[in-house]
């Protein structure tokens, strides 16, 4: 459906483009209809840049993005508008997605002006209401309101309703739930997941693996602009190959599993157990000498902290590493529909 | 000892009337305890945190008292609080990270801060550097500008600075919210490490993200629309919450391994009520699937099991709806 | 710190929707008018300006002495000489009426012209960015380094007959630079907002994005730019006239002020000579400024609710 082939983006910065900053390097993947593909990476890894290139909001430096067989780079005027009839996006910050001087429902009027000038007002109104209802909003609640009178979740859903008014086939959702409350987050997520049944392909951009796992069929892990691992979500999550993927997985805060919990099997073998779930990281002895247990516990904490620092340090380095132009290693298939970059784990 | 907050009420004076953002809040935090404060945005978490250290001009204390290490904390007296701020009570405000002056070197910033509090930068420097190394940063960070640092680095610098004088109470407001998972983890571990090393005695971690609290907090306090909903040990809140709001909040969180097609989670429909003229009775009533006739009265916050308090009529046996419930 | 600012947004969101919807008429087209008519600042500001405009239009009907008719010198205001006479015995009222006409005209041409040039270049520069932006920036810098008045004098030297229209246009050509810079900076910060991206995804062309999305966001700012340029043009025209480069035989508020200053109106206590033109300039610019503050409240839905 939408295919990226060896897509690279180098930002020119400084006066007269003196410096260059490669934000995406040699990315190749596709977004298939009826599937949610999640694009996961830390901030600065180039996720939004990829989304913007797909939405033609920023040009690609090299490589091609093609939609139903045509290269989208050359689209202009009418043909670009037709492209947007099928490919739409929703962005991270609901409050910056609306023009603050107008009412929120102006986004529908804009669509009508460009795409449905001949539809009568009453019919259009009916369509808008139907679309709002399909994203779980009560039209009375949201029509005729200004942005600051609506919640983040409502605003994001209005934008999805806007996209659904067109005959969209691909939706790029760039961190659309990171700024809304946990209590309404999953409703927006469920909504995205339900779009699959309409045959839509969704590119779900996030830095949170648990969200990606929740709704997506396929997962792409992006690191410093390079796709390091991708494939069926279950395979990537159950059998992560790249060290970076593994690190991300262990760092995700979970409700029922402590960060450090998996790090000390040898401690458990020695009989040190966690002392009640309530106090994370506190261990008490069972059959060991108190001092030995204390020692073991301290060692374990040190290990936990060291691991956390290492992950953080690797994140700190992100920006400087991005600036390198090193050759991108190819992906190899480790099992069916599961690819990993060849130098797995190597820096 | 620790922190004791008793029937605290804080409001904002606005043109349209008083907004009571913290309404009759009672809880305590023991020494060495990390308490998490969670709830949807706008439910008064930051207001509670800020009120313990720096009331802004629009905030008023309507009632209640706060005790830290056995002595009363004069929270409405801005002048008296000046002696406590930073030394005894320290806060990492929401968005502190982005509020760092990008054109001032970290070292200069720290020295100015210390001087303004009457402390000597030179003598504090070795300890500062020791802690910088402890959180995995280079000592040369003092010579760098905030603009050169990543979000995680800035947040850790802010943490060290605000705990440099070993305060008794640290309030950390949304310190992980804008971070990547890997740096979230580092910052979370830092909180535990600082507690274990006695850099801070009691810690209050404010966040809307329960899964972070599950990692770092010993106890969790859930707030809803300015009032307390539930307080218990972390494992109890996560594993067997009693308040319907807590239950719904937890069941709406996707965890690694939960998939939409196998197990569809649901959010909580509706929005919290406005705090300007809030509705009477249980404030969660119009969103609560269990609401019944008793809920038209305000549910008391009672201890149902040792260390586990809830404000819900479903769990208030023996308390008359007319009120007069004993405070825990 | 930023804490409060951001929380205020939450405060507004959390509150029930009171102001905006309540009494407003259903038809949106009249909404701005509805709020505009209820905004005191806007009404007062515009009334003041309108008063002067009407005066400039109908003033000649009340003129009793031609511009060049000499009467008693330094006559105090009276029934025959409403605003008195100047050092030479010319009627100040007559000068004022024709001066106001010309000054408003030159101000309008200069203000509009400079705003249009500044807006066009500022929008293009801020929206397109890249090489176009850098090119326009160079142009702007070149303009800035050449003192405007010198340029004006040079051009005026070439053109032998200047009319108020040409004078206004010349002023426009030399004062647009700072407005372009200001508009460019504003546009730049707005372009990075997501709603601009979304407008592009709605198939809007660059021009319509600028006109329909970006400009409305800065409407009160643009109006402020216009007011400042308008006031500025009147003052530049005054110094221009003073140098004898203005339209031949013309009169303007600037010329009046300059003459008054030159012929020691202040030490001689001929206050009626400089007070009317000075007050007129102050009132017109002040009235426009007040109207601008009012317009801001009308355009900004958040301010409207307070
Ligand atoms: N318009 C731009 N000009 C220059 N550099 C940019 C621009 N947009 C993004 N970048 C840089 O490209 C890198 C990737 O950014 P982005 O795609 O926004 O990452 P993500 O969305 O994963 O956080 C970052 O280092 C960022 O600083
Ligand atoms: N400066 C203020 N003036 C008036 N109301 C405020 C102000 N700041 C916050 N509020 C109100 O107080 C309530 C609690 O806000 P806050 O403590 O920031 O919540 P949280 O941190 O839980 O998101 C909100 O409903 C908000 O509307
Ligand atoms: S008191 Fe009633 S409405 Fe409130 S949470 Fe309990 S059951 Fe629900
Ligand atoms: Mg991004
Ligand atoms: Mg807050």
């Amino acid at each position: 459906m939408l295919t990226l082939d060896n897509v690279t983006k180098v930002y020119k910065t400084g006066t007269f483009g003196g410096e260059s900053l490669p934000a995406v390097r040699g990315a190749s993947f596709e977004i298939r209809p009826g599937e949610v593909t999640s694009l996961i990476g830390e901030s600065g890894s180039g996720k939004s840049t990829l989304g913007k290139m797909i939405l033609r909001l920023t040009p690609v430096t090299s490589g091609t993005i093609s939609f139903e067989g045509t290269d989208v780079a050359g689209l202009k005027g009418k043909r670009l508008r037709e492209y947007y009839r099928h490919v739409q996006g929703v962005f991270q910050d609901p409050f910056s997605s609306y023009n603050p001087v107008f009412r929120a429902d102006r986004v529908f009027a804009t669509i009508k002006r460009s795409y449905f000038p001949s539809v009568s007002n009453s019919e259009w109104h009916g369509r808008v209401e139907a679309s709002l209802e399909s994203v779980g909003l009560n039209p009375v609640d949201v029509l005729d309101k200004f942005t600051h009178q609506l919640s983040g979740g409502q605003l994001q859903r209005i934008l999805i309703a806007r996209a659904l008014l067109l005959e969209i086939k691909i939706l790029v959702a760039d961190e659309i739930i990171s700024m809304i409350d946990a209590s309404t987050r999953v409703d927006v997520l469920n909504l995205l997941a339900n779009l699959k049944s309409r045959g839509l392909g969704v590119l779900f951009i996030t830095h949170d693996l648990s969200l990606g796992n929740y709704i997506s069929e396929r997962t792409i892990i992006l690191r410093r602009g390079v796709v390091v691992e991708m494939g069926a979500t279950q395979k990537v999550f159950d059998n992560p190959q790249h060290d970076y993927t593994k690190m991300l997985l262990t760092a995700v805060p979970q409700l029922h599993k402590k960060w450090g919990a998996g790090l000390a099997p040898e401690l458990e073998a020695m009989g040190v157990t966690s002392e009640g779930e309530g106090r994370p990281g506190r261990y008490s002895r069972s059959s060991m000498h108190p001092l030995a247990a204390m020692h073991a516990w301290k060692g374990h904490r040190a290990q936990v902290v060291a691991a956390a620092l290492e992950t953080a340090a690797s994140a700190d380095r992100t920006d400087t590493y991005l600036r390198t132009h090193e050759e991108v290693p190819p992906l190899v298939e480790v099992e069916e529909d599961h690819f990993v970059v060849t130098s797995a784990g190597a820096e | 000892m620790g922190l004791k907050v008793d029937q605290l009420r804080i409001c904002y004076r606005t043109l349209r009337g008083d907004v009571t953002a913290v309404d009759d809040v009672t809880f305590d935090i023991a020494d060495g305890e990390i308490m998490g404060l969670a709830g949807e945005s706008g439910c008064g978490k930051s207001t509670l945190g800020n009120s313990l250290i720096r009331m802004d001009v629009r905030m008023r204390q309507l009632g209640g008292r706060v005790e830290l290490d056995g002595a009363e904390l004069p929270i409405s007296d801005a002048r008296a609080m000046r002696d406590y701020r930073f030394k005894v009570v320290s806060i990492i405000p929401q968005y502190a990270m982005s509020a760092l002056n990008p054109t001032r070197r970290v070292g200069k910033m720290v020295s100015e801060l210390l001087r303004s509090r009457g402390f000597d930068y030179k003598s504090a420097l070795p300890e500062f550097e020791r802690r910088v190394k402890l959180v995995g940063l280079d000592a040369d960070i003092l010579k760098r500008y905030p603009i050169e640092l990543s979000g995680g680095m800035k947040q850790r610098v802010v943490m060290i600075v605000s705990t440099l004088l070993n305060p008794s109470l640290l309030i950390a407001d949304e310190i992980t919210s804008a971070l990547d998972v890997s740096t979230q983890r580092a910052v979370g571990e830092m909180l535990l490490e600082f507690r274990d090393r006695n850099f801070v005695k009691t810690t209050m971690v404010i966040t809307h993200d329960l899964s972070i609290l599950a990692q770092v907090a010993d106890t969790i306090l859930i707030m809803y629309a300015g009032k307390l909903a539930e307080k218990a040990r972390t494992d109890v809140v996560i594993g067997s919450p009693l308040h319907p709001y807590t239950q719904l909040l937890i069941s709406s969180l996707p965890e690694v391994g939960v998939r939409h097609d196998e197990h569809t989670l649901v959010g909580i429909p509706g929005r919290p009520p406005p705090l300007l003229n809030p509705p009477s009775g249980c404030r969660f009533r119009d969103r609560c699937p269990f609401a019944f006739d008793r809920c038209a009265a305000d549910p008391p916050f009672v201890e149902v099991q040792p260390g586990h308090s809830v404000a819900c009529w479903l769990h208030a046996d023996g308390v008359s709806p007319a009120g007069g419930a004993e405070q825990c | 710190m930023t804490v409060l600012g951001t929380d205020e947004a939450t405060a507004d969101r959390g509150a029930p929707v009171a102001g905006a919807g309540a009494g407003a008429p259903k038809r949106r087209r009249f909404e701005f008018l509805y709020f505009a008519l209820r905004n005191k600042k806007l009404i007062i500001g515009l009334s003041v300006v309108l008063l002067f405009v009407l005066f400039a239009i109908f003033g000649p009907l009340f003129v009793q002495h031609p511009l060049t008719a000499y009467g008693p010198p330094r006559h105090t205001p009276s029934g025959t000489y409403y605003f008195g006479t100047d050092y030479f015995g010319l009627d100040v009222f007559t000068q004022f009426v024709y001066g106001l006409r010309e000054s408003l005209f030159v101000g309008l041409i200069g203000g509009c012209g400079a705003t249009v040039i500044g807006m066009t270049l500022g929008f293009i520069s801020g929206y397109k960015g890249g090489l176009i932006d850098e090119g326009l920036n160079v142009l702007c810098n070149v303009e800035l380094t050449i003192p405007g008045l010198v340029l004006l004098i040079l051009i005026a030297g070439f053109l032998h007959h200047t009319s108020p229209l040409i004078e206004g246009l010349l002023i426009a050509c030399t004062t647009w630079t700072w407005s372009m810079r200001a508009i460019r900076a504003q546009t730049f910060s707005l372009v990075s907002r997501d709603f601009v991206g979304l407008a592009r995804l709605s198939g809007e062309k660059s021009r319509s994005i600028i006109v329909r999305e970006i400009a409305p966001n800065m409407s009160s700012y643009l109006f402020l730019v216009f007011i400042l340029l308008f006031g500025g043009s009147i003052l530049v025209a005054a110094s221009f006239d003073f140098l004898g480069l203005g339209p031949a035989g013309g009169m303007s508020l600037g010329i009046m002020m300059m003459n008054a200053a030159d012929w020691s109106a202040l030490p001689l206590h001929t206050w009626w000579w400089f007070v009317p033109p000075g007050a007129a300039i102050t009132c017109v610019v002040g009235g426009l400024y007040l109207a601008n503050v009012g317009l801001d409240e009308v355009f900004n839905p958040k301010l409207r609710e307070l």
Side-chain angles (χ1 to χ4, degrees), chain B residues 41-42 44-47 94-95 173-174 206, chain C residues 7:
Chain B
S41 62
K45 305 183 298 292
S46 298
T47 309
Q94 202 168 356
Y95 318 110
D173 195 353
E174 303 277 10
I206 301 176
Chain C
D7 279 7

Side-chain angles (χ1 to χ4, degrees), chain C:
Chain C
M1 271 192 221
T2 41
V3 184
L4 290 168
T6 329
D7 279 7
E8 214 155 20
T10 346
D12 278 328
R13 264 179 272 146
V17 184
K26 286 259 150 32
R27 303 276 299 276
R28 262 184 221 183
R29 202 167 309 158
F30 299 117
E31 190 182 83
F32 284 128
L33 204 59
Y34 176 90
F35 285 107
L37 289 178
R38 267 155 197 74
N39 192 298
K40 283 209 189 80
K41 291 176 195 147
L42 184 62
I43 299 287
I44 295 177
L46 283 184
S47 305
V48 169
V49 177
L50 194 68
L51 204 73
F52 280 97
V53 171
L54 288 178
F55 190 76
I57 295 174
F58 297 108
L61 298 180
F62 307 101
V63 166
Q64 291 180 338
H65 312 273
L67 254 183
T68 47
Y70 291 88
R74 293 179 42 225
H75 192 284
T76 43
S78 69
T80 34
Y81 299 102
Y82 303 133
F83 285 1
T85 61
D86 66 10
Y87 192 84
F88 312 99
L90 294 171
D91 183 22
V92 175
F93 181 78
T94 314
Q95 292 183 14
F96 181 72
V97 169
Y98 290 105
L100 185 65
R101 274 172 91 103
E102 194 180 306
S103 286
L104 285 182
F105 181 74
V106 173
L108 193 71
I109 299 292
C112 283
T115 312
V116 167
I117 299 173
M119 257 168 67
T120 315
L121 297 183
F123 280 140
I124 292 176
S125 192
Y127 184 81
K128 291 282 181 195
L131 278 178
I132 296 180
D133 179 35
E134 307 218 14
L136 286 176
N137 234 338
V138 170
L139 179 70
C140 189
N141 284 336
V142 169
E143 271 268 359
L144 273 179
T145 47
I146 303 174
L149 210 56
V150 173
L151 199 66
L152 277 178
I153 294 167
L154 284 178
I155 298 173
F158 272 110
L159 305 168
H160 295 296
H161 308 283
T162 41
S163 67
L165 179 70
I166 291 180
E167 190 185 20
L169 289 177
L170 282 181
I171 291 173
C173 289
T174 51
T175 50
W176 57 268
T177 40
W178 72 264
S179 69
M180 175 213 162
R181 300 202 137 196
I183 291 168
R184 171 184 171 272
Q186 288 262 320
T187 310
F188 213 66
S189 79
L190 284 173
V191 163
S192 63
R193 302 257 213 109
D194 288 338
F195 67 78
V196 172
L198 217 58
R200 280 211 247 168
L201 294 188
S202 304
E204 289 203 45
K205 297 201 187 65
S206 302
R207 207 175 53 129
S208 102
I209 291 178
I210 290 174
V211 174
R212 293 170 43 85
E213 305 285 339
I214 295 177
N217 247 294
M218 348 185 340
S219 46
S220 72
Y221 187 76
L222 292 176
F223 194 65
L224 181 71
V225 166
F226 168 72
I227 290 169
L228 292 176
L229 287 173
F230 179 83
S233 297
I234 293 180
L235 299 178
V236 172
S239 45
F240 201 45
D241 296 340
F242 174 67
L243 290 173
L245 296 166
M251 177 47 69
S252 76
L253 297 182
I255 293 178
M256 286 177 76
M257 298 269 286
M258 291 300 178
N259 283 344
D262 262 15
W263 301 99
S264 339
L266 199 60
L268 294 175
H269 303 295
T270 324
W271 54 267
W272 54 86
W273 197 358
F274 57 85
V275 167
I281 292 179
T282 315
C283 286
V284 169
V285 174
L288 284 171
Y289 181 75
L290 195 65
N292 179 56
V293 175
L295 264 189
D296 202 17
E297 288 171 8
V298 171
F299 278 125
N300 188 335
K302 259 195 194 168
L303 289 179
R304 209 191 277 168
E305 267 184 30
L306 284 177

Side-chain angles (χ1 to χ4, degrees), chain A residues 42-49 52 92 174-175 205:
Chain A
E42 298 192 278
S43 67
S45 58
K47 307 181 296 294
S48 298
T49 303
K52 282 191 190 138
Q92 174 168 16
D174 188 354
E175 307 238 19
I205 298 178

Side-chain angles (χ1 to χ4, degrees), chain B residues 243-244 282 284-285 288 290-292 295 299 312-314:
Chain B
H243 198 286
C282 176
F284 190 53
R285 190 156 42 128
C288 179
F290 307 108
F292 59 117
C295 307
C312 172
W313 285 119
L314 292 174

Side-chain angles (χ1 to χ4, degrees), chain B residues 79-317:
Chain B
R79 184 166 298 207
M81 277 310 286
R82 216 175 291 158
D83 297 335
Y84 288 86
R85 258 177 244 159
F86 193 46
K87 285 170 236 167
V88 184
V89 188
S90 200
I91 189 169
I92 308 174
Q94 202 168 356
Y95 318 110
M97 197 166 90
S98 34
L100 291 182
N101 183 346
T103 57
R104 177 150 293 174
R105 288 180 203 274
V106 172
K108 186 136 176 50
M109 202 182 62
V110 175
S111 79
E112 273 171 17
L113 183 69
L114 283 171
R115 273 208 200 100
S116 74
R117 306 283 161 173
F119 288 88
D120 183 29
Y121 175 60
K122 282 263 156 54
S123 57
L125 196 58
E127 181 61 18
F128 185 83
E129 286 183 339
R130 195 172 75 84
R131 293 188 184 186
V132 162
K133 290 208 189 83
L134 188 70
V135 301
L137 298 173
D138 263 348
D140 78 346
I141 197 146
L142 285 168
K143 296 195 202 77
R144 295 173 66 182
Y145 293 96
I147 203 167
E148 304 168 335
L149 308 179
S150 73
M153 292 162 95
K154 275 191 270 186
Q155 198 63 283
R156 276 175 281 162
V157 169
V158 171
M159 277 180 71
I160 302 172
V161 172
S162 41
T163 55
L164 195 56
L165 302 179
N166 294 354
S168 201
L169 170 66
L170 174 71
I171 298 158
D173 195 353
E174 303 277 10
I175 55 171
T176 56
S177 301
L179 301 177
D180 285 322
V181 284
S182 61
T183 29
Q184 268 183 0
R185 176 170 171 188
V187 167
E189 298 282 3
M190 250 57 278
L191 281 173
L192 291 172
E193 192 68 12
F194 280 18
R195 186 265 309 271
D196 289 345
R197 288 178 187 264
N198 283 328
F199 291 171
V200 289
K201 259 196 254 166
T202 46
T203 314
M204 187 159 131
V205 183
I206 301 176
T207 175
H208 63 269
D209 189 350
L210 269 173
S211 39
I212 290 284
L213 293 186
Q215 301 298 323
V216 302
D218 301 316
T219 53
I220 295 183
L221 178 63
I222 307 279
M223 266 182 99
Y224 184 75
K227 290 192 158 257
L228 299 186
E230 182 160 12
K231 178 171 191 231
R233 277 205 343 247
T234 300
D235 56 323
V236 176
V237 170
I238 303 293
S240 47
L242 290 178
H243 198 286
Y245 179 58
T246 319
Q247 291 170 349
L248 290 175
L249 263 189
I250 286 174
S251 67
S252 70
L253 288 181
E255 281 213 77
V256 175
V258 176
R259 291 188 48 79
H260 171 264
D261 29 17
E262 292 155 8
H263 177 68
T264 304
L265 304 170
V266 287
I268 312 178
R271 301 168 70 183
L275 292 178
L276 180 78
N277 307 319
S280 65
C282 176
R283 295 193 174 169
F284 190 53
R285 190 156 42 128
D286 58 345
R287 299 170 83 187
C288 179
F290 307 108
F292 59 117
D293 45 4
R294 258 180 118 178
C295 307
D298 206 1
F301 188 63
V302 290
E303 191 159 27
V304 290
Q305 269 152 33
H308 188 176
S309 309
V310 184
C312 172
W313 285 119
L314 292 174
H315 306 283
D317 301 325

